[in-house]
Amino acid sequence: MVKTGKRRITSESTKECYSKVNGVGYFEPNGGCSKDAEITVGTKVLDQQHIAARIDGQEVSVKALDKELQLVLYDIAEMEHKLRLNKLHEMIAKTAKDGQEIEVMLPVPEPPRIDLDYGGRAARGNPEAPITIAVFCSFQSPHCKSFQPTLRRLLSDYSGWVRQVNFDFPLKFHREGIKAAVSAKCAGEHNIFWEYHDALYAKTPNLGEKSYSQTASSLLIDDKQFKTCIGDMNYKEVVLGDQEIALGLGLTNVPVVFINGLYLKGARSFEQYSYWIEKELIRLDIDPQQKYTWKQQKDTENQLPVTDLPLALVGVSESSIENKSKALIEVNGQKAQNFSLGQSVLKDVFLKRLKGHYAVIDNQGSLERLLLQGEEGNIIPLTLSYQHDEELRKRIEQPQGEKGKKLIEPAGVLTLGQEWLAKQLEQREFLEAKFIEAEMEVEGHHLMRLEGVANNEFFTALGFEENDVLLRVNDSWVHSGQNELWSALTSGKVIDVAFMRKGLPHRLQYVVEENGYFDEDLGK
């Protein structure tokens, strides 16, 4: 009998030495600074202080070589581990008898830890999370696209403990790779980087000028400003800088993930990432089973000094969507403006957090309170959420019940601007005519196939293609007798859609973005 269940990881006290090679920082675990340190390459043990060569009298040690090759050496070590593990399972299958207890003690190779600079990058999740998941990806990569559901699950299951940051690594053969990355950064100017990021992956591989413009339009981005940003390739050097970092590390493909710097190459299972996240939590003396306690629940910041800057907080709009809360602030007595979390209010002054009756601002590194004031002040809670209730989620994911096959994870979450959607639905009769009866039947009715939607703004924004066959909207079938798509889009809740494309199942989710409470009144 092979022991199964969750692995128990014991924390080990390790000495770490920090050094830099070619501008990249490295942590060397397990006594890497020791003169007696050794490294195993294949079956041969090498003294790291061994001199590999002398170049014009200058010595090159094995240790120096291994720093340059540590990612490649780890790839080899993982390959060796996999070969040994497979052989071990073969031996167990051949020799083990029923009822025998088997304990597998084959050690898992420890990934090298790389020190990356996350400064100035958009982060998803808890900005103060102890674990950072750094992702090197290209928007044109199908592997990066298929990896997105795993990322979303990690952010959900380890909510509060982890955050995600993005590094652009468009590969040479990705013709739209650089421009797609630039377009996402242009969207970031409008504080919707992650919504646009998700939309691009949902539409991969159909990337290009039209998809960028349509995605921007559905997210209510000013089209002229957005197109100018892409046309001028404003962020090209930033994207190429990320690419240079990746190449400097020796990366050759995507995706590559670093969990607090721990190197993991290629798209992997949720369980593999979970293993290293939990090991990191334990290293930081955190119980992986413990729920994160959000600091906002303990209002320890109500004792911060009140700012004397020329600012007046006249409104607060709180959202359950990460980084979507907004504040209405008068600056230097001028007309109030709408500010999002992280946005600059004055030079070297940033909106840090919203606490209902006050805002926390970062004033040149010092935290201060900006109190809500004036009769104009309003606190407007927004209830929008990415989550279905538990019972609905079960019905969506397992339409045939507990014993039925579970649906695939959503390939993406698309955010749709409320104003844009309302305008599109004005032509609902025209849009409904795009649904044609398909051959397959369910509940005594024909399923519905999309026809003539190739250049339609509405269906393209929703990620549909010509001849897609819709299956379900949330927990309801779509057929000639009913189509819940329209009512779902106007429900104000997350919408889950399953469909078939070229014989394969697909799944997407949509969130209709409510206008901020102040958005419509700023121009008045």
Side-chain angles (χ1 to χ4, degrees), residues 66-90:
D66 292 344
K67 282 184 180 177
E68 296 287 340
L69 294 169
Q70 65 171 337
L71 301 190
V72 177
L73 290 174
Y74 176 71
D75 291 339
I76 294 171
E78 272 207 309
M79 239 184 285
E80 289 181 337
H81 174 74
K82 187 174 181 180
L83 289 170
R84 291 188 182 110
L85 193 62
N86 289 342
K87 180 55 67 176
L88 181 60
H89 283 302
E90 286 180 18

Side-chain angles (χ1 to χ4, degrees), residues 309-468:
L309 291 171
L311 303 173
L313 178 64
V314 296
V316 174
S317 174
E318 293 185 288
S319 173
S320 60
I321 297 180
E322 196 70 42
N323 297 326
K324 280 298 176 183
S325 294
K326 299 178 182 179
L328 191 62
I329 301 175
E330 292 180 356
V331 181
N332 289 315
Q334 300 298 312
K335 184 176 179 180
Q337 299 179 56
N338 199 2
F339 292 92
S340 299
L341 298 184
Q343 193 171 351
S344 174
V345 182
L346 291 169
K347 184 180 179 182
D348 299 324
V349 177
F350 300 90
L351 181 61
K352 190 81 174 176
R353 281 181 286 278
L354 290 177
K355 296 292 185 116
H357 292 281
Y358 66 89
V360 177
I361 60 172
D362 183 337
N363 182 7
Q364 301 183 57
S366 298
L367 296 182
E368 298 174 349
R369 281 185 301 155
L370 177 61
L371 302 179
L372 184 67
Q373 57 184 284
E375 294 182 0
E376 295 180 56
N378 289 283
I379 304 171
I380 308 297
L382 303 182
T383 58
L384 199 58
S385 171
Y386 285 142
Q387 303 297 323
H388 291 293
D389 66 70
E390 187 66 18
E391 288 302 315
L392 177 57
R393 185 185 62 78
K394 286 181 180 178
R395 292 199 303 272
I396 291 171
E397 294 186 345
Q398 293 184 290
Q400 297 175 341
E402 290 289 336
K403 296 182 180 180
K405 190 174 181 181
K406 192 173 181 179
L407 284 180
I408 60 172
E409 290 292 320
V413 179
L414 298 178
T415 303
L416 308 174
Q418 189 179 67
E419 183 181 328
W420 173 88
L421 181 61
K423 184 178 180 180
Q424 293 296 317
L425 293 181
E426 288 176 0
Q427 51 175 345
R428 175 172 163 177
E429 187 175 339
F430 170 77
L431 297 174
E432 285 182 333
K434 302 295 182 181
F435 287 87
I436 308 298
E437 289 189 5
E439 293 182 6
M440 189 180 298
E441 293 186 11
V442 65
E443 296 181 343
H445 296 274
H446 287 275
L447 292 176
M448 305 302 289
R449 176 175 58 83
L450 291 173
E451 188 175 286
V453 302
N455 296 307
N456 182 277
E457 181 181 350
F458 174 78
F459 289 106
T460 301
L462 268 60
F464 292 132
E465 295 181 7
E466 191 78 1
N467 293 318
D468 284 349

Side-chain angles (χ1 to χ4, degrees), residues 39-46 62 66 73 76 80:
I39 185 166
T40 303
V41 181
T43 56
K44 186 175 181 180
V45 178
L46 298 176
V62 170
D66 292 344
L73 290 174
I76 294 171
E80 289 181 337

Side-chain angles (χ1 to χ4, degrees), residues 47-237:
D47 181 346
Q48 285 203 317
Q49 302 305 319
H50 183 81
I51 303 305
R54 288 187 179 87
I55 303 173
D56 195 22
Q58 186 174 354
E59 294 179 341
V60 179
S61 68
V62 170
K63 183 177 181 179
L65 286 176
D66 292 344
K67 282 184 180 177
E68 296 287 340
L69 294 169
Q70 65 171 337
L71 301 190
V72 177
L73 290 174
Y74 176 71
D75 291 339
I76 294 171
E78 272 207 309
M79 239 184 285
E80 289 181 337
H81 174 74
K82 187 174 181 180
L83 289 170
R84 291 188 182 110
L85 193 62
N86 289 342
K87 180 55 67 176
L88 181 60
H89 283 302
E90 286 180 18
M91 293 172 67
I92 290 172
K94 289 179 181 178
T95 61
K97 297 178 181 179
D98 291 341
Q100 284 185 322
E101 185 175 293
I102 299 167
E103 188 174 1
V104 176
M105 295 174 287
L106 189 65
V108 177
E110 184 90 10
R113 191 186 297 272
I114 308 299
D115 180 34
L116 295 167
D117 183 4
Y118 309 127
R121 296 182 184 277
R124 171 147 61 181
N126 178 12
E128 299 175 353
I131 292 178
T132 300
I133 304 173
V135 180
F136 283 78
C137 255
S138 169
F139 285 106
Q140 203 171 344
S141 166
H143 302 293
C144 287
K145 174 177 182 171
S146 63
F147 172 55
Q148 297 309 305
T150 302
L151 268 177
R152 285 195 295 276
R153 184 180 170 190
L154 290 171
L155 288 167
S156 174
D157 284 18
Y158 294 98
S159 177
W161 296 122
V162 300
R163 64 172 182 155
Q164 176 192 348
V165 296
N166 189 65
F167 285 80
D168 292 304
F169 187 25
L171 304 182
K172 288 184 178 180
F173 53 88
H174 290 162
R175 297 176 64 181
E176 287 292 327
I178 293 177
K179 184 164 280 191
V182 167
S183 73
K185 294 189 183 302
C186 290
E189 290 184 350
H190 303 265
N191 298 307
I192 55 169
F193 171 82
W194 291 108
E195 292 91 333
Y196 188 91
H197 164 283
D198 291 347
L200 280 194
Y201 276 123
K203 295 175 182 180
T204 298
N206 299 321
L207 301 180
E209 295 290 348
K210 183 176 288 188
S211 62
Y212 306 145
S213 178
Q214 287 175 335
T215 301
S217 176
S218 67
L219 290 168
L220 299 179
I221 297 177
D222 178 75
D223 193 49
K224 183 178 179 181
Q225 182 181 345
F226 181 72
K227 283 184 176 179
T228 300
C229 182
I230 297 178
D232 293 343
M233 294 294 279
N234 288 353
Y235 295 96
K236 183 177 180 180
E237 294 306 315

